[in-house]
Every structure is written in C-alpha cells, then in structure tokens.
Amino acid sequence: EKLPQRHRCATKGTERRFYCAFRSGDSALLFGNLEVERHQQTCSAGASCATPGTHSCPPWHQSSLVSSEMALRAAQARARKALVDRAAAQRLPVIRVPKFLDDSALNAIDALGSAHALVHGPPVAARTAWRTQYLNADGLARTQAGELLDRLVTLAKDVDDEHFSGNARECETRCVELHDCGEGAGLDDPTHFDSGSVVTLDVCLREADAGGRFQTLEEDGSTLEHVFERGDALIFPSYKYHGVSRVESGRRRVLVLELWNGEERFCNHRCTVARGNCELLQVGVAERELSSQ
C-alpha cells in the first residue's frame, strides 16, 4: 500500500498503524490500531484518512506534516521517557564539584550570552525576573566554546557513571541555558524536574546576595538546600525534583546543561524532539485544535 507522500501515517507489516505528530504538551501522541477512529475524528477526511490516496486535511493539519519516520522517532522518544523511574531519581544525590570552572571559563560563558543577544536580541523573562538564553542556538556554544562544552559534558557523564544510572554515556547535549535571575525570581514548584533529559549539570556564575538557593525535594519529603558558589558545578539526575528559592536581593546567574537520549541540539529553545528537524513538530495550532476535541 502506498500512502500520500509526507503523510504522517505509516504502515507496519500487514497491519496499519498510525504514528501521528499531533502534539500535546511535550509529547507526540502515538495512535495505534485501536485508536484509528480517534485519529479520523481529528481529520476532515474522516474514514478516508485510513485508506490509500490523497485527501484534504484542515490547514492546521497540513501545516504540521512530517515524515512517518520522524513521527515514529518522536513516539519512540516518548516511550523511552516513560521508562524513567522518578522514585529512584529522588533517592539519588546531587553531586557538587567545587570550583570546577575558573574565572576565565566563567567569563567565556558570559561572553557567549553577549554573543547570543547580538543575534537573537535580549533575553525575555519567561517568569518574574527570570531570563533565559539558549547558548546552544545556531551551534554558538559548540563553535565558540567547544572545549569548554566538552569538559562540562564529560563531567556530567563521569558523575553519572559513578553515582547515578550510567545511562548518560551515549547521551548528547539537549540544551545549554544561561539563566539570569533578578530580585523576585524563583522556581518554587516543589516537584519540578527536567522532563525528557537524563542528567542535568548546573554551573554557578554569580550568587545572589540573599535568596536564590538551589534546593531539592528529598525522598523523605524534606527540602535540602545545597551549597552552590561561583565556579561550582552541581550534577544530578534530571528527574530529581529541584527548585530555586526566591531571590531576595542581588542577581543569580547560572549555566544549565542537559543531556538526553537524542541528537545534539542547536535550537533556540529547549527542544522536545529527539531526532530530526524539530521545527517540523512545533505546531501550537494543532495542539490547540486537539485540546478542543
């Protein structure tokens, strides 16, 4: 059987299965044989969507067309993420490496922030007084600070080997974020975690004068505050619950690097698509349409 070119449905063997890249939050929805009817309901073509030949889909459907292989990869990434044992992550420690980076390396990170702003403009606050830049955008960190980036990645993998799951050895860089937090900024969600990543590494560039402390929610329900000074690196499983107390005065500036089971990313955002061209799956309109079904 031959399906329309670039259609998001795929056949597998003699059975017809649909791997559709409609998005819901951070996930691609996987529609199997038992959910064909639901798939048809999202398309104006109705039942003809399950038969060979072309048909007319609504504009938001057409705008999100991706290859069946791309959609399958997204679904597989989602399945891998579901295997993460969050309870196990809470039992693992945060590893501090004091003064891992010296002033010259920290200044180089600040320079990357300035270079990013020249291309992408000044960072916009995603939440109160909290601004984020994606230094991996356009390969900036890789091309201008490749040796430094490799040092950070190696440290994260070595710590994972020794203290965590050992699953990060084949991982790649998902994002390199520079967080600048002014007074009033904070991450006070007690069960926040870095969904879809394996290991997270933070480097302190600047401590707040008061507040802005890195905290984790421990297995026993207690909140643990961690020492985190200029030049220090903190490494922890991405699914470990963590947050930042509100900055009371001064500025807090931290580099955050995440490793994941996907390709190294050069997007100007925290990517959610492990392989292929992520821009083909950034379809907010489709998400809104699905949520209204």
Side-chain angles (χ1 to χ4, degrees):
E1 294 181 88
K2 185 177 180 181
L3 292 168
Q5 185 178 14
R6 298 185 70 225
H7 194 279
R8 293 171 307 118
C9 300
T11 57
K12 184 176 182 180
T14 58
E15 297 182 343
R16 190 182 303 280
R17 294 187 65 83
F18 297 91
Y19 299 97
C20 298
F22 294 126
R23 294 185 56 74
S24 176
D26 288 342
S27 304
L29 299 181
L30 171 60
F31 294 85
N33 291 332
L34 299 180
E35 295 182 281
V36 171
E37 182 178 356
R38 180 181 174 190
H39 171 72
Q40 292 168 354
Q41 291 174 352
T42 67
C43 178
S44 63
S48 65
C49 192
T51 60
T54 61
H55 61 264
S56 176
C57 295
W60 60 265
H61 185 164
Q62 291 285 359
S63 67
S64 64
L65 289 179
V66 296
S67 69
S68 58
E69 180 183 6
M70 178 83 65
L72 176 57
R73 286 176 175 177
Q76 289 171 333
R78 178 172 178 254
R80 285 196 300 271
K81 184 172 69 174
L83 296 176
V84 173
D85 185 344
R86 291 193 202 175
Q90 310 321 312
R91 293 192 290 269
L92 294 172
V94 173
I95 302 301
R96 177 184 177 231
V97 182
K99 307 303 179 187
F100 181 71
L101 295 184
D102 59 19
D103 286 343
S104 63
L106 299 176
N107 291 338
I109 294 172
D110 279 326
L112 289 177
S114 299
H116 180 277
L118 288 175
V119 176
H120 297 281
V124 177
R127 56 175 72 94
T128 301
W130 189 307
R131 292 174 170 79
T132 302
Q133 293 174 285
Y134 298 91
L135 303 186
N136 53 296
D138 309 317
L140 178 66
R142 173 56 61 197
T143 57
Q144 296 194 20
E147 184 176 343
L148 174 57
L149 180 59
D150 287 341
R151 284 185 63 198
L152 297 173
V153 170
T154 298
L155 175 63
K157 291 183 176 182
D158 287 347
V159 169
D160 178 68
D161 280 342
E162 183 175 352
H163 297 280
F164 308 149
S165 66
N167 293 331
R169 185 50 56 185
E170 302 303 320
C171 287
E172 299 290 347
T173 302
R174 178 183 193 175
C175 54
V176 184
E177 304 174 0
L178 183 58
H179 294 192
D180 190 278
C181 306
E183 292 184 16
L187 179 56
D188 55 5
D189 178 358
T191 58
H192 168 82
F193 60 94
D194 298 330
S195 178
S197 294
V198 177
V199 175
T200 300
L201 179 148
D202 291 2
V203 175
C204 179
L205 280 71
R206 177 172 178 170
E207 300 174 75
D209 296 334
R213 304 309 179 196
F214 183 82
Q215 302 172 331
T216 53
L217 179 62
E218 297 304 301
E219 186 182 20
D220 62 3
S222 64
T223 298
L224 181 61
E225 188 172 287
H226 298 265
V227 175
F228 193 30
E229 301 173 344
R230 178 173 167 82
D232 290 356
L234 297 180
I235 306 94
F236 53 94
S238 299
Y239 275 70
K240 187 174 179 68
Y241 299 145
H242 60 279
V244 178
S245 65
R246 192 170 302 276
V247 175
E248 297 172 13
S249 65
R251 283 175 61 205
R252 179 183 190 269
R253 197 164 168 84
V254 173
L255 182 80
V256 177
L257 179 146
E258 296 179 27
L259 300 182
W260 71 340
N261 288 310
E263 297 173 349
E264 181 171 1
R265 281 311 193 191
F266 305 112
C267 324
N268 192 36
H269 55 254
R270 185 176 181 272
C271 194
T272 59
V273 180
R275 303 185 189 281
N277 184 356
C278 74
E279 296 298 331
L280 295 176
L281 294 178
Q282 305 300 316
V283 189
V285 176
E287 180 181 341
R288 290 193 295 273
E289 291 282 351
L290 278 180
S291 65
S292 67
Q293 296 292 322

